[in-house]
């Protein structure tokens, strides 16, 4: 047989693209269109309906950046269309084919009921099937002119990322607003051809099935009259029917298909636009469910449901019906799809608590899995937290983006920090926006790592990132691919069903232990430093407000615990932990608003704490310690006077009058000595020497607190990525304008170093030593005006450390300092929370921070044979895309060096730096609400139970990485105690004795206790 593949393949493509696809809509008539440009921000439907509209012609430019234009559409279905399938078709002037980052619209009936959204991949709105001739059609269309931030593939900075800088010139030209007939035979032929052609092109050239499909396609087009596509489409389909009916092989891989619409809660659009995106997407999905009863749509992020509930009640009712009908599957169980690395442990617990409770309350559904396809790595505490929230499975997708190493499995048991394992899957289709293209189907099969052990994988399908969701074309493709020879099989089902089947296939020894580190997007640990600082500060203030509000509720008659206020503030903080807000990868508008929100949250939480402390009554100046560790340190009293005070964990004490045994002395204007450490500053402002006087050893191997400014232009994704070549070009900041003593003892010694550098940037650092403490603080103020740079602070210590330890959520992880394998080499930038610790047997050093996350640890051997381990904190970056002004301006933060530190010391000082002592006028608050005896048993949260029962909830964990046993003592009469899950539901009784509870924890175990107050 002659080889006619090229002729046939080209024929199929041309006829499909140029003749069949344009014939899908057989006839059309235009709407009469009027328009009204809403001033400023979006307006409610009622306001738009009452607005004055003016005639609008197709071909007219419309839509300033971030604007809203309402269009009134009126038309009539022609009489001779009676009995046919009629729909409205719109082209707002779409650019490209991505539905989430450009013009979008929501179509309403005149009474305000939303019907469906339109976007580049979903341009129709059903009118009737069958239609009645002469039927009137009347719509109000809310069109958003969101700019295409992705234009030029992020090649250059754009001012479009903020309404303040975007300008007002129209972005789009309205091309089409028609009432049209959908020719169903032609539409189905279009889909038949697409599915078979794409399958054919993925099969091997020697595969008989490929040739069978090719001949069928050629004969199908022979049956098609190009002058009468509509009249001959059914005949062309009949030729293809036997080929489409050939069943898949018995061993064919099965794709468990789940409808999906990834909607970033903010990214290349602000939060206010996400509220509208959810309404548009959810309208589409509920409309699709009416037509395709087999649809199962998985949707996470309780926050987005709440927005629809509050702003679009009609859509909300349709969602509730879809859930009840089985078409809609709430998943994820989190308030938002949070970043997987940066939120604190208690914040991740609250993500799960608030998300799962929302779905239970509103749908009667308890979600069983954590759905996080797009976060930038996943911390090692997740398996335990997920299980403690009642979850059985975990899903991600982003690991397919790894630059260097490929994870060995797609389905596996993920073992967390404490040993908890949870069944985990990341889809081999390598996208959470699948469309069932031939390429995707074939890739999923080829890519699947667990052949021979597993036979199924999950495929989330639907347009996403900016929403959109599944389409009718995808549903039709799924029907054709359900059982088709040569292809994987497609089975649309609930993700719980997939995980139940996959879990039985995968053996228990298929395990990945530890963090799921993404070998990409490492700069998200540092970009937008003020956003990250706002999160850290908010987590601290929430902890503080809950502890002292609980104390006041137990001890101050008449004080009302602020349940609603704390709930609202927690949800605000949780929202801003979304995986494109907290990581710093959103447009300028998002981060400008985030900083303002964090400031508002701080004001409200400070007021809650002040009111709680005031409710305890007056009676003198006291110091309040929110840390779980007892402290003896210098605080500043009224007028800024330093005072040395000892305060119990989670408690308060009178302002101290005692002094530590050794005062701080300042020698020659550059040496600080408190009897524990002696710090010598060089003339250039770096640390020339740090001497541990207790251990009698020099800590530094080279100058410390060395500030190094690196060139930082990654190959792609500026705000997301830092590539290894950044290390090769740098400037050390060694020109100090001044080195000045600002505190000269006896309780504080401090030297201020001022520098100017780069493009007009300035940095002022105050190096402080306190009486009685080995911690050396570096309080930092930066006025930052660099572009495409990263600033790091280095501490080269004279230690041979085989690994570093970094605090994460509810524990810490160890990472090798060598680069023996590609896995270690890829971890050239990592994250940690409050501290990083390096040690050799007998001696260690910690670097502590109050708001930074990114760092690197490296090891070199000196000429004298000794080893230098260098810890470098990433302080601030200057990416220009997608926010050209990222990190510009002022920053204030503190980091510290702690010589002679064990891991326990790092934990204690990490809490101390992040939870500063509070000085206030208050009465004796009595014993702490809870106190703990037992090394390693660490209290993370103290609050009243969410059900307003008055019970006290305490979350604690083992912090050192070993077994721990201790006693928790209550500062109130205890009636009983039980262990609960994260949602405060009972798991079993706790062992009590009077006002104490026995606690025994395995390494890094998290335990939630619910304590009932005895009413005497």
């Amino acid at each position: 047989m002659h080889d006619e593949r090229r002729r046939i393949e080209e024929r199929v493509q041309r006829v499909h693209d140029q003749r069949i696809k344009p014939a899908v809509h057989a006839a059309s008539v235009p709407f009469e269109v009027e328009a009204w440009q809403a001033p400023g921000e979006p307006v409610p439907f009622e306001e738009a309906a009452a607005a004055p509209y003016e005639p609008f012609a197709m071909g007219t430019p419309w839509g300033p950046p971030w604007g809203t234009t309402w269009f009134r559409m009126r038309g009539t279905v022609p009489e001779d269309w009676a009995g046919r399938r009629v729909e409205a078709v719109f082209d707002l002037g779409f650019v490209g084919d991505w539905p989430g980052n450009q013009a979008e619209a929501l179509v309403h009936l005149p009474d305000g009921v939303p019907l469906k959204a339109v976007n580049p991949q979903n341009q129709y709105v059903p009118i009737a099937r069958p239609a009645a001739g002469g039927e009137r059609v009347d719509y109000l269309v809310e069109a958003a002119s969101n700019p295409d931030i992705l234009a030029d593939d992020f090649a250059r900075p754009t001012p479009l990322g903020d309404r303040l800088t975007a300008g007002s010139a129209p972005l789009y030209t309205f091309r089409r607003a028609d009432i049209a007939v959908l020719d169903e035979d032609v539409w189905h032929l279009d889909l038949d051809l697409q599915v078979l052609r794409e399958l054919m092109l993925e099969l091997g050239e020697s595969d008989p099935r490929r040739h069978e499909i090719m001949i069928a396609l050629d004969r199908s087009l022979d049956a098609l009259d190009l002058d009468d596509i509509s009249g001959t489409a059914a005949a062309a389909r009949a030729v293809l029917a036997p080929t489409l009916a050939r069943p898949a092989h018995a061993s064919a891989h099965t794709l468990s298909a789940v409808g999906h619409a990834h909607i970033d809660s903010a990214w290349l659009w602000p939060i206010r636009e996400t509220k509208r995106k959810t309404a548009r997407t959810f309208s589409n999905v509920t409309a699709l469910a009416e037509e395709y009863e087999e649809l199962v749509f998985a949707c996470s992020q309780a926050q987005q449901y709440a927005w629809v509930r509050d702003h679009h009640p009609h859509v909300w009712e349709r969602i509730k019906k879809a859930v009840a009908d089985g078409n809609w599957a709430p998943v994820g169980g989190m308030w938002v799809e949070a970043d997987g690395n940066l939120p604190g442990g208690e914040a991740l617990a609250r993500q799960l608590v608030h998300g799962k409770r929302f779905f239970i309350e509103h749908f009667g559904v308890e979600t069983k899995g954590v759905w996080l396809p797009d976060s930038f790595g996943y911390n090692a505490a997740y398996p335990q937290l997920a299980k403690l929230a009642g979850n059985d499975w975990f899903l991600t997708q982003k690991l397919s983006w790894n630059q260097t190493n490929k994870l060995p499995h797609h389905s596996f048991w993920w073992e967390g920090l404490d040993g908890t394992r949870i069944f985990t899957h990341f889809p081999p289709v390598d996208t959470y926006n699948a469309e069932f293209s031939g390429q995707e189907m074939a890739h999923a099969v080829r890519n699947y790592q667990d052949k021979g052990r597993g036979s199924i994988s999950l495929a989330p399908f639907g347009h996403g990132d900016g929403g959109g969701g599944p389409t009718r074309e995808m549903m039709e493709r799924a029907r054709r691919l359900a059982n088709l020879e040569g292809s994987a099989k497609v089975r649309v089902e609930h993700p719980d069903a997939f995980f139940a089947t996959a879990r039985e296939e995968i053996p228990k020894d298929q395990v990945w232990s530890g963090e799921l580190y993404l070998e990409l997007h490492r700069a998200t640990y540092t970009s937008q430093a003020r956003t990250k600082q706002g999160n850290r500060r908010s987590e601290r203030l929430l902890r503080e407000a809950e502890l002292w509000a609980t104390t006041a509720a137990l001890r101050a008659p008449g004080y009302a615990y602020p349940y609603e206020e704390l709930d609202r503030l927690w949800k605000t903080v949780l929202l801003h932990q979304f995986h494109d807000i907290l990581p710093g990868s959103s447009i300028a508008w998002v981060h400008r608003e985030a900083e303002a929100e964090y400031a508002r949250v701080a004001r409200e939480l400070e007021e809650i704490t002040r009111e709680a402390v005031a409710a305890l009554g007056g009676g003198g100046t006291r110091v309040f310690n929110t840390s779980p560790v007892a402290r003896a340190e210098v605080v500043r009293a009224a007028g800024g006077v330093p005072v040395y005070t000892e305060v119990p964990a989670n408690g308060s004490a009178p302002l101290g009058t005692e002094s530590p045994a050794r005062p701080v002395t300042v020698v020659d204007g550059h040496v600080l000595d408190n009897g524990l450490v002696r710090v010598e500053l060089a003339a250039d402002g770096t640390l020339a020497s740090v001497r541990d006087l207790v251990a009698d050893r020099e800590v530094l191997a080279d100058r410390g607190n060395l500030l190094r400014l690196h060139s930082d232009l990654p190959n792609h994704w500026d705000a997301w990525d830092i590539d290894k070549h950044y290390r090769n070009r740098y400037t050390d900041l060694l020109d100090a304008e001044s080195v000045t003593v600002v505190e000269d003892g006896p309780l504080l010694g401090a030297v201020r170093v001022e520098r100017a550098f780069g493009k007009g940037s300035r940095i002022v650092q105050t190096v402080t030593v306190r009486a009685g403490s080995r911690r050396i603080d570096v309080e930092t103020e930066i006025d930052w005006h660099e572009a495409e740079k990263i600033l790091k602070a280095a501490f080269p210590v004279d230690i041979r450390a085989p690994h570093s330890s970094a605090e994460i959520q509810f524990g810490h992880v160890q990472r090798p300092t060598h680069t023996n394998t590609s896995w270690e080499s890829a971890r050239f930038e990592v994250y940690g929370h409050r501290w990083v610790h390096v040690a050799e047997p007998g001696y260690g050093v910690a670097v502590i921070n109050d708001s930074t996350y990114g760092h690197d640890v490296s090891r070199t051997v000196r000429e004298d044979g000794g080893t230098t381990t260098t810890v470098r904190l990433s302080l601030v970056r200057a990416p220009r895309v997608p926010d050209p002004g990222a990190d510009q301006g002022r920053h204030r933060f503190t980091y510290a060096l702690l010589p002679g530190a064990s891991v326990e010391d790092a934990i204690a000082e990490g809490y101390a730096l992040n939870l500063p002592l509070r000085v206030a006028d208050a009465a004796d608050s009595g014993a702490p609400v809870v106190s703990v005896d037992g090394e390693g048993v660490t209290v993370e949260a103290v609050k009243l139970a969410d059900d307003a029962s008055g019970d006290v909830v305490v979350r604690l964990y083992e912090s050192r990485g070993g077994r721990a046993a201790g006693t928790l003592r209550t500062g109130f009469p205890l009636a009983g105690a039980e262990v609960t899950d994260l949602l405060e539901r009972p798991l079993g009784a706790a062992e009590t004795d009077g006002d104490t509870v026995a606690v025994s924890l395995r390494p890094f175990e998290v335990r939630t206790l619910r304590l009932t107050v005895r009413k005497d």
Side-chain angles (χ1 to χ4, degrees):
M1 186 177 80
H2 297 295
D3 186 354
E4 295 198 278
R5 286 176 299 167
R6 181 173 178 180
R7 175 190 65 79
I8 296 172
E9 290 169 5
E10 290 179 350
R11 179 192 188 194
V12 172
Q13 181 172 356
R14 181 174 187 185
V15 172
H16 172 264
D17 293 350
Q18 297 183 11
R19 300 302 171 87
I20 296 174
K21 190 164 275 301
V24 165
H25 286 105
S28 63
V29 295
F31 277 104
E32 295 177 6
V33 184
E34 297 176 303
W36 172 69
Q37 173 68 47
E41 287 296 279
V43 301
F45 175 86
E46 294 74 18
E47 183 176 340
Y53 285 75
E54 296 180 354
F56 183 90
M58 290 298 100
T60 301
W62 71 279
W66 305 113
T68 302
T69 304
W70 285 80
F71 295 97
R72 176 168 281 137
M73 309 280 186
R74 291 191 174 105
T76 303
V77 177
E79 293 287 350
D80 59 352
W81 292 4
R84 306 191 70 179
R85 185 171 181 174
V86 177
E87 53 195 34
V89 182
F90 301 100
D91 183 346
L92 306 177
F94 299 123
V95 294
D97 58 3
W98 188 45
N101 190 43
Q102 56 169 294
E104 300 178 75
L106 182 60
V107 179
H108 302 76
L109 291 174
D111 61 2
V113 175
L115 288 179
K116 185 178 169 296
V118 292
N119 62 53
Q121 298 280 14
N122 202 336
Q123 299 184 19
Y124 76 99
V125 176
I127 292 176
R129 183 188 186 189
E135 180 179 346
R136 291 289 296 167
V137 183
D138 193 349
Y139 293 148
L140 273 175
V141 179
E142 181 191 28
S145 48
N146 301 328
D148 181 11
I149 305 295
L150 271 179
D152 301 322
D153 197 26
F154 281 158
R156 59 185 61 86
T158 173
L160 292 172
D162 196 332
R163 187 161 195 160
L164 301 179
T165 58
S168 58
L171 295 175
Y172 300 101
T173 300
F174 214 130
R175 296 195 187 101
R176 184 180 188 187
D178 291 342
I179 300 173
V181 173
L182 179 71
D183 190 319
E184 296 193 66
D185 283 336
V186 176
W187 181 59
H188 281 291
L189 176 61
D190 170 42
L191 289 157
D192 291 346
L193 285 172
Q194 286 185 55
V195 169
L196 286 173
R197 175 178 175 272
E198 290 173 5
L199 171 58
M200 174 186 70
L201 294 177
E202 293 298 328
L203 295 172
E205 293 184 359
S206 60
D207 191 320
R209 176 65 167 163
R210 175 170 181 150
H211 293 269
E212 176 189 340
I213 294 172
M214 180 183 69
I215 297 301
L217 289 171
D218 197 32
R219 290 174 178 170
S220 173
L221 295 188
D222 289 341
L224 187 70
D225 184 345
L226 299 185
D227 294 322
D228 185 14
I229 300 291
S230 179
T232 56
R237 291 196 71 207
V239 175
L240 295 176
T243 307
L244 283 165
R246 292 283 294 272
H249 298 303
S251 60
H253 186 80
T254 297
L255 291 182
S256 177
V258 183
H260 188 228
H262 187 65
I263 306 177
D264 287 315
S265 289
W267 181 30
L268 306 180
W269 46 85
I271 286 172
R272 71 90 150 139
E273 193 56 32
T274 312
K275 295 176 182 179
R276 301 202 292 178
K277 284 179 176 291
T278 56
R280 291 190 284 258
T281 295
F282 295 173
S283 294
N284 282 356
V285 173
T286 52
L288 192 66
E290 294 294 321
E291 189 172 356
Y292 293 89
E293 62 180 15
E294 72 268 31
L295 173 65
V296 178
F297 176 72
C299 186
S300 65
Q301 304 196 78
Q303 171 68 87
Q304 295 181 0
Y305 288 78
W307 284 332
V308 173
R309 178 199 61 194
D310 295 343
H311 299 291
H312 292 88
H314 294 289
V315 181
W316 175 244
E317 291 302 318
R318 285 155 56 181
I319 291 172
K320 290 198 292 185
K321 179 181 183 301
V323 172
D325 291 345
N327 298 117
W328 190 294
V331 294
M334 295 178 70
W335 191 247
V336 296
E337 290 183 12
D339 179 78
N341 295 320
L342 306 181
E346 186 61 24
L348 280 184
R350 304 299 177 96
Q351 288 280 1
L352 291 159
V353 167
H354 283 290
K356 293 205 49 148
R357 280 218 186 107
F358 185 93
F359 296 131
I360 292 170
E361 176 185 351
H362 292 286
F363 304 119
V365 172
E366 178 161 0
T367 56
K368 289 299 182 183
V370 178
W371 183 279
L372 275 178
D374 192 31
S375 294
F376 310 142
Y378 306 90
N379 72 81
Y382 254 128
Q384 181 179 194
L385 294 177
K387 296 288 279 188
L388 286 174
N391 292 296
D392 298 326
W393 54 263
F394 191 99
L395 177 133
T396 173
Q397 177 64 66
K398 206 67 173 187
L399 295 172
S400 66
W401 287 41
N402 270 8
Q403 283 181 315
T404 307
N405 299 285
K406 185 171 184 175
L407 216 66
H409 305 293
H410 282 102
S411 293
F412 56 94
W413 296 87
W414 180 18
E415 181 179 283
L417 196 64
D418 70 314
T420 298
R421 292 181 179 180
I422 190 167
F423 187 72
T424 300
H425 179 74
F426 72 99
V429 70
D430 279 355
T431 178
Y432 48 81
N433 298 325
E435 302 177 30
F436 300 128
S437 70
Q439 188 277 329
E440 288 172 348
M441 299 290 290
H443 176 75
V445 176
R446 288 193 295 264
N447 189 41
Y448 183 56
Q449 294 283 88
D450 303 310
K451 297 180 184 74
R453 290 188 160 190
S455 62
I456 64 172
S457 63
L458 191 141
F461 68 94
H463 298 298
D465 288 329
T471 65
R472 62 186 180 184
E473 289 77 17
M474 294 175 194
M475 296 302 299
E476 291 291 338
R477 282 173 169 268
R479 286 178 172 180
R480 288 161 174 78
L481 292 165
N483 192 19
L484 181 61
E485 184 187 356
S487 172
K489 294 182 286 188
V490 172
R491 182 171 65 214
V492 179
E493 64 180 354
H494 195 293
D496 284 349
F498 160 76
F499 276 96
T501 302
R503 187 185 297 113
E504 293 303 313
E505 289 188 336
I506 301 303
K508 298 291 186 180
D509 64 349
Q510 196 155 297
V511 176
W512 181 270
S513 181
E515 65 183 333
L516 292 172
Y517 176 85
L518 177 65
E519 296 173 358
L520 194 73
H521 293 358
R522 303 167 181 90
T524 59
Y525 315 145
T526 304
S527 295
Q528 299 285 4
R530 284 185 294 268
T531 297
K532 291 173 170 58
Q533 186 176 50
N535 175 73
R536 182 81 69 87
R537 178 180 61 178
S538 297
E539 291 180 348
R540 181 257 292 182
L541 291 172
L542 282 160
R543 175 193 184 115
E544 195 172 13
E546 287 184 337
L547 174 61
W548 302 118
T550 300
T551 304
L554 294 172
R555 306 241 167 98
Y559 177 81
Y561 188 84
Y563 291 101
E564 293 184 3
E565 293 90 336
L566 288 170
D567 180 79
R568 174 175 50 80
L569 292 166
W570 260 115
K571 287 174 179 174
T572 298
V573 174
L574 298 180
L575 165 60
H576 287 84
Q577 290 175 342
F578 179 76
H579 64 252
D580 275 308
I581 303 178
L582 184 53
S585 48
S586 289
I587 57 174
W589 191 342
V590 173
H591 292 288
R592 173 169 57 82
E593 287 192 334
E595 291 179 36
E597 280 292 276
Y598 283 132
R600 179 186 63 79
V601 166
R603 289 192 298 271
E604 291 195 41
L605 288 171
E606 286 284 2
E607 183 59 26
I608 289 172
T609 300
R610 280 193 295 269
E611 289 178 356
V613 170
L616 298 172
T621 304
R622 296 186 68 81
V623 180
F624 291 79
N625 175 19
T626 311
S627 164
V629 181
R631 291 154 71 173
E633 64 184 65
V634 177
V635 296
R636 291 190 184 275
V641 177
V643 179
Y644 185 78
T645 299
E646 297 182 4
V647 197
N650 303 308
S652 70
L655 190 64
T657 57
E658 300 295 323
S659 295
R662 289 286 303 270
V664 179
T665 59
V666 180
V667 181
D668 297 332
H670 68 282
V671 178
L672 309 173
D673 188 325
N674 68 356
L676 301 174
V677 293
R678 185 171 67 241
V679 178
E680 179 181 346
L681 278 80
D684 59 21
T686 60
L687 302 184
S689 170
V690 173
R691 188 81 185 173
D692 184 336
L693 300 177
V694 176
D696 192 25
R697 64 181 284 170
E698 174 61 42
V699 175
L700 299 177
D702 202 342
R703 68 181 84 206
N705 192 36
L706 174 64
L707 298 173
R708 180 167 285 180
L709 186 67
H710 293 263
S711 178
D712 179 24
L713 182 66
N715 293 341
H716 309 284
W717 304 98
D718 292 19
W720 291 259
D721 287 354
I722 181 170
D723 289 336
K724 194 177 290 187
H725 55 249
Y726 87 91
R727 295 177 173 177
N728 301 334
R729 188 171 183 84
Y730 57 84
T731 300
D732 290 339
L733 305 186
L734 298 176
D735 297 327
E737 290 183 343
S738 63
V739 179
T740 310
V741 176
V742 292
E743 294 276 0
D744 59 0
L747 294 182
L748 295 173
V751 176
R752 178 178 296 149
V753 180
E754 299 189 35
R755 307 179 191 276
F757 63 95
K759 307 289 187 179
S761 298
R762 292 188 62 81
I763 184 166
V764 179
Q765 295 194 303
T766 303
V767 179
T768 302
V769 172
R770 292 170 170 80
S773 174
R774 289 172 295 160
R775 199 179 83 203
I776 304 156
D777 289 357
V778 184
E779 300 171 49
T780 303
E781 299 179 39
I782 302 178
D783 188 11
W784 178 251
H785 298 287
E786 303 308 298
E788 297 170 349
K789 298 288 190 294
I790 185 170
L791 182 65
K792 288 199 167 234
F795 290 94
V797 295
D798 189 6
I799 285 176
R800 180 172 175 78
H803 61 259
S804 65
S805 298
E807 186 192 42
I808 66 163
Q809 299 83 350
F810 294 113
H812 56 269
V813 293
Q814 294 181 345
R815 301 179 178 112
T817 54
H818 64 72
T819 55
N820 284 356
T821 73
S822 59
W823 294 90
E824 283 93 28
S825 179
R827 286 181 167 88
F828 60 84
E829 180 82 0
V830 292
Y831 85 94
H833 283 201
R834 289 171 287 217
W835 53 267
V836 181
H837 181 263
V838 293
E840 61 189 22
Y843 196 80
V845 170
V847 177
I848 301 164
N849 73 85
D850 72 355
S851 60
T852 60
Y853 296 87
H855 66 275
D856 68 88
V857 181
S858 60
R859 199 173 68 190
T860 57
V861 176
R862 305 187 298 271
E863 290 187 3
D864 65 3
T867 298
T868 300
T869 302
T870 302
V871 179
R872 300 199 310 157
L873 298 182
S874 301
L875 303 182
V876 65
R877 292 187 75 228
R880 302 181 66 208
V881 177
D883 175 8
D887 280 320
Q888 298 300 299
R890 296 186 178 276
H891 303 265
R892 294 175 62 94
F893 50 84
T894 299
Y895 54 89
L897 181 70
L898 185 65
S902 63
V903 166
E904 292 87 339
D905 295 329
I907 295 167
E909 291 297 336
Y911 276 116
L913 183 63
N914 282 267
L915 295 165
L917 297 173
R918 176 179 292 269
V919 179
D921 178 53
D924 186 350
S925 61
V929 171
V930 294
S931 57
V932 176
D933 300 323
E935 295 296 324
V937 181
T938 304
V939 174
E940 186 63 13
V942 179
K943 58 189 282 293
L944 290 192
D946 291 340
D947 62 5
S949 62
D951 290 351
V952 176
V953 170
V954 179
R955 189 123 49 232
L956 39 78
Y957 71 106
E958 197 291 313
S959 59
R960 299 177 305 169
R963 293 190 178 274
T967 301
L968 181 146
R969 186 177 305 278
T970 64
F972 54 86
L974 181 65
E978 57 188 3
V979 178
T980 74
D981 67 4
L982 294 184
L983 279 70
E984 301 170 14
R985 301 176 296 193
L987 297 176
E991 181 184 345
T992 62
D993 183 5
D995 294 339
T996 66
V997 182
V999 179
S1000 178
L1001 301 174
R1002 65 178 181 271
F1004 298 127
E1005 181 182 0
V1006 177
R1007 178 80 55 82
T1008 304
L1009 295 175
R1010 184 175 182 130
L1011 311 174
T1012 302
V1013 182
R1014 188 173 71 247
K1015 309 297 183 183
D1016 293 331

